């Protein structure tokens, strides 16, 4: 590289540029050292490095030592070359304290490369690398950019990213101190690099230069033409001057290795006409292409079936131009094959054709996405056509090649490569087309002369145009396979890379010995950039040229560059002439700048913005969301203008926009209209101040950059608040606000046991709670407040003495049963108990709380005493406690050995008793590990009276003392809930404390109730309230914006953050009470300072608690209290949560009052059962997004958004309605049952079926002419004359059904075909579905999946429901009437009807048999029995997964009889107007297969299927270390969902048969 090409651009403000080593620099070290120099320049500009910008001296930095430039080792710290330091010193005129340095490069790969080097060399300075993978195009909030750039000093990105950030005002130019332009020769014309300078630099240069950054431009090719003006243009654009090294030019040339430029001549004497070089396969392909009949093309056939104007125009255009997708693919294959044949020879062409067809066939059979948008008919057609070229036989590569197999050109290349090969060979071969790359890599890898010397790899570009098929069938290379190619070249794993022009610019390729141009470089830029890849010493730069062509400049290779310049200029002049004819330079400089952000809208970027906005609109398979341009021509002037029509999901007031001027070209007219349209969107609030669509998914900065998870599964929070600490403080501070309370324990005895409770605070009442004494006996505990007749409400003045008195009694009670759990000499109990006697009981003898009597003495005195028995203590066994049952006379052998060892074998007196339980948790039913009962063997024992004593304290009080830990736990959770109610929830005014207790009790806490049911209710209330609030608050937002905002508002991550922010986490009950380590709570212990303990809590639990509290507030006081609760946890400034009545009224007022009301919609109102006061609501509810006949009414999407949440709320409200009537838990659905109830009522297939069912009969009268009796006997002529003279008619009444879906307004012929197809399926399945819904005991999942109603059917139901809600001003009775009319609530009543107990889960056979014997449904841990539903609602796939336990369920799909072509998946049946419907089969396998991971086979589905009968034997598959059993196989599936559902149901039937076998 000479001084003309190693240039830098120095900004007039004092910064400068450095040469780009990519094009023509030295080795890898040189390239990295250059970047190091940039980093040091950055360091100096930031005011953080050496102020004078000098290079480090040899004695200051060990990096200064010299090293072999051919050695590349990234572990070595590099120093810049002196010539680089010279250029840096020129650029650094002064130090500046900067905010940001932004490094720009044209490609992502180059940006990534530069960011790694800078990070490696400047690890102390935070760097941010921005690319499309970071989704920067979605950063529509300033806060995101601010967070991303916080503390960042260096940014690396492509030009386009910075341009977008400047355009939308996210990053002002004034924030930048240095802009580094890599590959600065791109700063021309409308390249993003130049747009940055022209729009955001030059306009401010005159009046505010101090606000602009320094510019550092880097390039190896500043002159891309022979004109000096081209260099001046770049200098002007960059506001810079060119600098080249002069003082250290000699050293620069020492490190920049110029390759030896040679020509490689190849013979052209053997042409393509040579018989030995003909390619039969290529000839067959040509014959096939020329013989194609376009009228047989599936695309043409499909268009001919359609009658709309658009389809007719497309048909005419396709026939005239002869272009269809299939035609183009065959043509492309022919063109590429011909090119491969000409360049590489006949074998290469045959290989390319055969491999392409083979990959096409494999892609079709595997149903992958390789074929892009091709439908099934097009795929079949392509395979059929190309099958004529090459059959099914695989293409066999030869073991040797004849001279006729490859082209002379390729043969010459092989000769040259073999001659140049060496152990350290590294080279690049540039070719024109990607097809050449694929074939040449394979050929060189198998050719006998090259396979042992060259390890070949490929590298091609990855970009794809958005207006063509996703992937061409002619593409053999997958860009994902080349990720490591360049690294492998550096490491030596590969030594020859075949590539296209993608490796010419920027990307850091390891220095090569050899660069070969298989074809001549197309322009000067390519010539220079390719030459720069040969950077090793003694490297060669080879250009292959035909012998007859030679070189224009003879043998003077040094003149080739000048020749290339002249050739390039000739081409550019031709292109420029065309451009001048087509692109008239019209004056179009209008712009709009947002004052707050300085975001800029111009004529040039408006179209891009508008298409981006439309791409974010809600998608629909029947709607094209792109803007529609209409060109209008002024006949008198010949100038044109344009108007834009946006999709119907956009606010009607801005759907249509016209340009403000007339133009010479359509291009400028469209820009004008796009500019005005986008400006209208901005003024309507549909794009933000950054001129971007409102964020479709708001993400926090931490989530964007991976600093934290989006919602971590667990968070560390403080331990649950201990309410007894506050009670202890009240004791200590003598704050007496207590109230006397009595705890009543009611069992089977005649009188309950009552304990008076002493607390310094007013304790919440304990609701009736079950205590589990053993497997059979249940007791009940509750509290009641003493009235003034029993005891003063206020404690006596000497409360301290009362506390001491109560404490002594509490100590005695606990010592009677829990003496080992008490602390030594501690009596300052927080909660105190003593036996309570009412006035009617005070005449009785006082209780004796201490002491014991020998059992024999008790027996002897029993006739004279009426005392209750206390606990029996076995003296010989350490005083083990037993419960007295009775005195009995027993034989000695029935005594334990230690009891009656010396007693003769005759009946003696014994005490029959049972052992006292050691547990203290009586709030939970006994588990198998702790079960004890007098009905179990060994539980009853017989003790000798002479070895026992009996406590004076009656047993029922000892039993009550054993319940004290459970009672204290009940108080603790009530006090927690009460504290929550009076602090965080104070503004919600929830009265029912038990609702709060339920809402904060996680299932893991194993309390008597948990939040699951309330969370289910709160979830529906939350989503409904959020939907209504957003719909009313943003009347111009489309459904996409609304859904995204609602999803963020109600997401679990948002709710979990709300719980943490409000401190709700401290009130969440998650730890179960077991009593294993229970100790009495003491005042002194609780007042001791403790370290702040923490616990792990699931964020899902925190979110669920918030929803449960919303549900609790709703049950306590309706929507008013629910809204108050929402205001506590989700304070949103833009919503502020007003009442639903206010929101509904404001939403009603925003509806356009008058629209053109279709006359037939009067019948629609009758069908719905509601007469609309605002007819426009009904029109909107029935307008599909494809409707384009008028622009006054929006589509139904907004109302469907509301109706979805209204429907959820209707169902959930109905489930919870009259919940107080279901005090028996067995008559109220469980949480899981409620989930399935909602799922079966609101799923799209069920709603679609109801939509198709909903109809009214419209009267129809047929008129028929009749004749009189006389006429009937007259001659034909007479009869005819009579009828004509005096005709008579009769009316025949009939009716025709008008269905709800028929009123939908749309403008797409495909929808019409879809409606007709679904109507046919409905007719076939209707009777079976109705019978299943109203008579079967299983929900018809499979039948509804087979119906496969399009989404717009269910959308209509929800949009009408939303319209009814708004029009009725939120009247739920009106909405319920419509839901009842549809059949939703009627079916709900059926599935929640109380039915006799049914069988439980099949895999719990033992429990099932017990329940059958006891006639009880299964019970939970608290002994409660769950409701049994008369209909099995759970999806068959879910039930099958449940029954399988730990065994894996696998669904193996087959397509069109091809067998196992897919495993699981979610394909749909084809729609009318698209590919014909496929038929699917499915096998269900159970068990683990060796090496198989968790399968994705747990999707929803169900139904009655074919396949194996009950008596069929199931097949079994066995592999190494595992086996799979085939349970079922069904076929004739209309969709993957439907066939998997039927297969799962069939598998369940097989398991039922297995369970019944002995």
């Amino acid at each position: 590289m000479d001084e003309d090409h190693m240039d830098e651009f120095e900004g007039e403000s004092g910064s400068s540029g450095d040469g780009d080593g990519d094009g023509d620099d030295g080795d890898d070290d040189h390239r990295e050292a250059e970047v190091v120099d940039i980093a040091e320049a950055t360091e100096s500009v930031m005011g953080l490095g050496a102020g004078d910008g000098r290079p480090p001296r040899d004695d200051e930095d060990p990096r200064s030592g010299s090293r072999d430039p051919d050695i590349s080792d990234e572990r070595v710290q590099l120093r810049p070359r002196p010539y680089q330091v010279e250029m840096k010193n020129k650029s650094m005129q002064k130090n500046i304290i900067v905010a940001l340095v932004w490094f720009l490069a044209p490609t992502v790969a180059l940006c990534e490369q530069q960011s790694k080097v800078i990070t490696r060399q400047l690890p102390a300075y935070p760097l941010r690398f921005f690319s499309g993978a970071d989704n920067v195009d979605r950063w529509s909030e300033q806060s995101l950019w601010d967070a991303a750039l916080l503390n960042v000093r260096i940014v690396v990105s492509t030009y386009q990213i910075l341009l977008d950030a400047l355009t939308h005002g996210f990053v002002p130019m004034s924030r930048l101190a240095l802009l580094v332009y890599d590959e600065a020769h791109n700063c021309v014309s409308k390249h993003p690099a130049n747009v940055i300078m022209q729009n955001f630099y030059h306009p401010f240069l005159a009046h505010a230069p101090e606000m602009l950054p320094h510019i550092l431009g880097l390039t190896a090719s500043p002159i891309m033409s022979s004109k000096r003006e081209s260099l001046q243009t770049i200098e002007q654009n960059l506001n810079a001057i060119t600098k080249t090294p002069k003082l250290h030019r000699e050293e620069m040339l020492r490190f920049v290795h110029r390759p030896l430029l040679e020509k490689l001549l190849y013979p052209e004497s053997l042409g393509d006409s040579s018989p030995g070089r003909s390619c039969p396969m290529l000839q067959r392909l040509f014959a096939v292409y020329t013989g194609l009949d376009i009228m047989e093309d599936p695309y043409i056939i499909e268009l001919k079936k359609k009658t709309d104007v658009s389809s007719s125009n497309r048909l005419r255009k396709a026939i005239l131009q002869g272009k269809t997708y299939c035609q183009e693919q065959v043509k492309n294959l022919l063109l590429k094959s011909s090119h491969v044949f000409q360049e590489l020879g006949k074998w290469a062409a045959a290989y390319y054709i055969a491999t392409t067809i083979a990959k096409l066939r494999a892609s079709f059979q595997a149903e992958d996405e390789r074929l892009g948008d091709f439908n099934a008919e097009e795929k079949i057609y392509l395979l059929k056509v190309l099958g004529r070229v090459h059959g099914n036989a695989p293409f066999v590569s030869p073991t040797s090649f004849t001279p006729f197999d490859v082209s002379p050109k390729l043969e010459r290349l092989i000769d040259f490569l073999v001659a140049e090969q060496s152990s350290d060979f590294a080279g690049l071969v540039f070719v024109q087309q990607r097809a050449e790359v694929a074939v040449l890599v394979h050929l060189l890898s198998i050719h006998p002369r090259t396979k042992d010397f060259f390890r070949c790899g490929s590298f091609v570009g990855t970009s794809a145009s958005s207006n063509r098929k996703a992937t061409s069938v002619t593409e053999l290379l997958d860009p994902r396979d080349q990720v490591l190619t360049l690294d492998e070249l550096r490491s030596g794993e590969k030594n020859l890379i075949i590539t296209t022009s993608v490796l010419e610019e920027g990307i850091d390729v390891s220095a090569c010995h050899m660069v070969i141009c298989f074809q001549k470089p197309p322009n000067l830029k390519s010539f220079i950039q390719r030459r720069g890849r040969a950077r090793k010493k003694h490297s060669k730069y080879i250009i292959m040229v035909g012998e007859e062509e030679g070189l224009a400049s003879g043998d003077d290779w040094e003149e080739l560059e000048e020749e290339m310049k002249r050739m390039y200029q000739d081409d550019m002049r031709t292109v420029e002439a065309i451009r001048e004819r087509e692109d008239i330079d019209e004056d179009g400089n209008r712009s709009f700048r947002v004052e707050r952000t300085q975001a800029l809208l111009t004529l040039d970027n408006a179209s891009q913005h508008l298409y981006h906005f439309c791409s974010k609109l809600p998608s629909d398979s029947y709607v094209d969301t792109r803007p529609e341009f209409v060109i209008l021509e002024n006949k008198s002037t010949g100038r044109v203008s344009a108007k834009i029509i946006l999709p119907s999901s956009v606010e009607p007031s801005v759907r249509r926009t016209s340009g403000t001027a007339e133009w010479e070209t359509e291009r400028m007219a469209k820009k004008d209209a796009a500019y005005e349209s986008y400006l209208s969107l901005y003024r309507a609030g549909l794009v933000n101040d950054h001129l971007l669509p409102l964020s479709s998914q708001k993400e926090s900065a931490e989530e964007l950059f991976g600093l934290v998870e989006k919602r971590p599964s667990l968070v560390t929070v403080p331990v649950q608040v201990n309410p007894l600490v506050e009670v202890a403080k009240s004791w200590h501070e003598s704050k007496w606000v207590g109230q006397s309370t009595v705890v009543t324990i009611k069992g089977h005895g005649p009188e309950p046991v009552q304990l008076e409770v002493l607390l310094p605070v007013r304790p919440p009442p304990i609701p009736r709670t079950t205590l589990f004494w053993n497997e059979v006996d249940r007791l009940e505990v509750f509290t009641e407040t003493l009235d003034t007749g029993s005891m003063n409400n206020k404690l006596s003045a000497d409360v301290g003495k009362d506390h001491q008195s109560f404490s002594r009694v509490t100590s005695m009670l606990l010592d009677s049963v829990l003496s080992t759990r008490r602390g030594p000499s501690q009596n300052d109990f927080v909660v105190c108990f003593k036996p309570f006697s009412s006035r009617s009981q005070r005449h009785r003898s006082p209780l004796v709380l201490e002491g014991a009597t020998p059992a024999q003495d008790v027996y002897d005195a029993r006739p004279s005493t009426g005392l209750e028995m206390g606990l029996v203590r076995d003296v010989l066994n350490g005083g083990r406690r037993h419960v007295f049952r009775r005195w009995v006379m027993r034989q000695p052998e029935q005594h334990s050995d230690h009891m009656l060892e010396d007693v003769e074998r005759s009946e003696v007196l014994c005490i029959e008793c049972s052992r006292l339980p050691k547990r203290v948790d009586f709030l939970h039913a006994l588990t198998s590990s702790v079960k004890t009962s007098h009905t179990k063997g060994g539980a009853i024992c017989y003790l000798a009276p002479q070895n026992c004593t009996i406590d004076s304290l009656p047993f029922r009080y000892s039993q009550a003392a054993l319940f004290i830990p459970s009672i204290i736990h009940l108080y603790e959770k009530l006090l927690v809930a009460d504290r929550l109610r009076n602090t965080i929830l104070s503004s919600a005014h929830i009265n029912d404390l038990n609702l709060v207790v339920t809402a904060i009790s996680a299932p893991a806490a194993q309390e008597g109730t948990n939040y699951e049911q309330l969370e289910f209710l709160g979830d529906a209330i939350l989503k409904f309230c959020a939907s209504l609030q957003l719909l009313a608050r943003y009347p111009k937002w489309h459904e996409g914006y609304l859904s995204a905002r609602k999803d963020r508002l109600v997401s679990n991550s948002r709710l979990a953050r709300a719980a943490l922010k409000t401190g709700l986490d401290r009130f969440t009950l998650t730890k179960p009470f077991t009593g294993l380590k229970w100790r009495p709570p003491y005042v002194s212990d609780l007042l001791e300072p403790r370290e702040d303990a923490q616990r792990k809590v699931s964020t899902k639990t925190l979110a669920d608690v918030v929803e449960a509290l919303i549900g609790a507030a709703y049950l306590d006081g309706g929507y008013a209290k629910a809204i108050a609760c929402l205001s506590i946890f989700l304070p949103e400034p833009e919503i502020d949560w007003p009442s639903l009545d206010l929101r509904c009224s404001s939403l009603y007022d925003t509806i356009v009052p008058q629209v053109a009301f279709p006359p037939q919609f009067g019948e629609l109102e009758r069908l719905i059962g509601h007469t609309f006061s605002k007819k426009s609501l009904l029109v909107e509810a029935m307008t599909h997004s494809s409707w384009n006949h008028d622009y006054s009414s929006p589509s139904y999407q907004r109302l469907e958004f509301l109706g979805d949440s209204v429907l959820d709320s209707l169902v959930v409200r109905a489930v919870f309605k009259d919940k107080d009537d279901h005090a028996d838990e067995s008559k109220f659905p469980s949480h899981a049952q409620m989930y399935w109830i909602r799922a079966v009522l609101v799923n799209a297939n069920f709603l679609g079926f109801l939509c198709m069912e909903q109809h009214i009969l419209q009267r129809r009268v047929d008129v028929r002419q009749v004749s009189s009796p006389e006429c009937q006997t007259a001659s034909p002529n007479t009869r005819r004359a009579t009828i004509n003279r005096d005709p008579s008619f009769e009316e025949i009444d009939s009716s025709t059904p008008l269905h709800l879906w028929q009123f939908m307004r749309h403008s797409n012929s495909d929808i019409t075909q879809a409606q007709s197809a679904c109507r046919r399926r409905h007719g076939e399945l209707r009777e079976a579905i109705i019978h299943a819904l109203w008579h079967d005991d299983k929900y018809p999942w499979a039948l509804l999946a087979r119906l496969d109603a399009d989404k717009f059917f269910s959308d209509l139901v929800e949009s009408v429901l939303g319209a009814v809600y708004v029009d009725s001003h939120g009247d739920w009775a009106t909405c319920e009437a419509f839901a009842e009319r549809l059949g939703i609530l009627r079916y709900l009543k059926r599935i929640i009807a109380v039915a006799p107990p049914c069988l439980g889960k099949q895999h719990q056979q033992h429990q099932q048999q017990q329940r059958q014997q006891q006639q009880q449904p299964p019970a939970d841990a608290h002994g409660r029995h769950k409701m049994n539903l008369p209909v099995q609602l759970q999806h068959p796939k879910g039930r099958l997964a449940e029954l399988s336990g730990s065994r894996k369920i696998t669904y193996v799909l087959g397509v069109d009889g091809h067998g196992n072509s897919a495993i699981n998946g979610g394909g749909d049946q084809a729609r009318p107007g698209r590919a014909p419907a496929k038929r699917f089969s499915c096998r269900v396998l159970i068990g683990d297969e060796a090496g198989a991971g968790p399968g994705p086979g747990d999707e929803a589905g169900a139904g009655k299927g074919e396949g194996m009968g009950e008596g069929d034997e199931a097949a079994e598959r066995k592999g190494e270390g595992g086996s799979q059993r085939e349970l079922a196989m069904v076929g004739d599936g209309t969709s993957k969902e439907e066939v998997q559902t039927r297969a799962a149901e069939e598998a369940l039937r097989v398991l039922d048969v297995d369970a019944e076998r002995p």
Side-chain angles (χ1 to χ4, degrees), residues 886-904:
R886 59 175 177 165
W887 303 98
V888 295
M889 303 297 294
R890 301 291 294 178
Q891 292 287 339
E893 61 270 17
Q894 295 178 342
H895 295 65
S896 59
D897 295 339
H898 77 274
M899 296 177 189
L900 298 173
E901 296 177 354
D902 301 326
V903 179
E904 297 180 0

Side-chain angles (χ1 to χ4, degrees), residues 113-271:
Q113 166 190 295
Q114 305 290 43
S115 67
K116 290 179 180 179
V117 175
I118 296 174
T119 300
R120 203 161 47 234
Q121 300 301 326
L122 290 176
Y125 305 111
L127 178 144
R128 178 74 72 189
F129 167 41
F130 288 144
S131 71
D134 297 315
N135 296 316
V136 291
D137 56 324
R138 296 164 56 192
W139 298 358
S140 57
E141 301 290 339
Q142 183 67 52
S143 59
L144 298 181
W145 284 92
D146 291 343
L149 298 175
L150 181 64
N151 296 326
V152 171
R153 309 307 296 271
I154 307 170
V155 177
V156 180
S157 77
T158 60
Y159 294 111
Q160 188 64 50
I161 287 178
L162 178 58
L163 176 58
D164 291 342
L166 290 168
T167 300
H168 298 295
F170 291 126
V171 180
M173 187 67 86
S174 59
R175 188 174 179 182
L176 307 182
L178 175 64
L179 269 179
V180 181
Y181 275 66
D182 200 5
E183 307 295 345
H185 53 264
N186 289 297
C187 193
V188 293
S189 187
K190 291 188 177 181
H191 191 280
N194 193 34
V195 176
I196 291 174
M197 298 298 297
Q198 300 305 321
N199 288 352
F200 300 98
Y201 188 94
H202 287 284
F204 303 97
L205 190 58
H207 62 276
E210 71 280 356
M211 302 297 292
L212 297 176
H214 291 233
I215 305 298
L216 178 64
L218 313 174
T219 182
S221 309
I223 302 178
M224 300 308 298
S225 69
S226 59
K227 292 183 178 180
R228 178 68 182 174
E229 290 79 7
S230 63
L231 179 59
Q232 294 174 350
T233 299
I234 298 177
E235 288 180 327
Q236 292 171 1
N237 291 342
L238 284 173
N239 188 38
I241 58 176
T242 308
K243 293 291 183 180
T244 58
K246 297 177 180 179
L247 299 178
H248 300 277
R249 180 179 181 185
E250 180 181 355
E251 184 173 5
M252 181 198 74
L253 295 177
R254 183 161 54 90
F255 286 106
V256 177
H257 306 293
R258 183 188 301 272
L260 177 63
L261 184 62
E262 294 182 2
K263 68 178 179 180
L264 183 63
L265 302 180
Y266 59 89
E268 298 178 294
S269 57
L270 293 176

Side-chain angles (χ1 to χ4, degrees), residues 167 278 460-461 493 527 529 572 1478:
T167 300
S278 62
V460 296
E493 294 180 48
F527 171 78
Q529 296 286 3
M572 290 302 298
K1478 296 178 182 178

Side-chain angles (χ1 to χ4, degrees), residues 42 48 127 160 182 252 323 424 445 519 577 791 819 913 1008 1041 1044 1086 1162 1174 1176 1202 1265 1354 1434 1463 1503:
T42 299
L48 301 173
L127 178 144
Q160 188 64 50
D182 200 5
M252 181 198 74
K323 287 185 177 181
D424 60 346
S445 299
Q519 294 90 11
M791 190 174 184
S819 57
C913 53
Y1041 285 171
L1086 293 173
K1174 278 200 173 180
S1176 55
L1202 175 63
Q1265 187 174 2
S1354 60
Q1434 189 177 7
I1463 297 180

Side-chain angles (χ1 to χ4, degrees), residues 46 400 451 495 938 960 1078 1086 1192 1400:
M46 298 166 81
S400 61
K451 66 179 182 179
N495 59 3
W1078 184 87
L1086 293 173
S1192 59

Side-chain angles (χ1 to χ4, degrees), residues 395-429:
F395 185 83
V396 179
S397 298
T399 56
S400 61
F401 289 83
T402 67
F404 292 108
D405 289 329
V406 297
S407 67
K409 185 177 183 180
L410 177 56
E411 188 70 26
R412 184 70 183 92
L413 174 65
I414 294 174
D415 292 340
F416 180 79
L417 287 174
V418 172
E420 294 289 334
Q421 66 86 19
S422 63
S423 59
D424 60 346
F425 180 91
L428 298 176
V429 177

Side-chain angles (χ1 to χ4, degrees), residues 907-937:
E907 290 188 351
V908 296
L909 178 65
C910 300
I911 305 174
E912 182 181 283
C913 53
S914 58
R915 185 168 297 175
L916 186 72
K918 293 183 179 181
R919 60 193 180 95
V920 296
D921 172 22
F922 294 93
L923 295 174
H924 300 91
L926 290 169
T927 61
S928 58
S929 61
V930 296
K931 285 180 180 178
T932 59
S933 171
H934 63 276
T935 61
K936 299 294 182 182

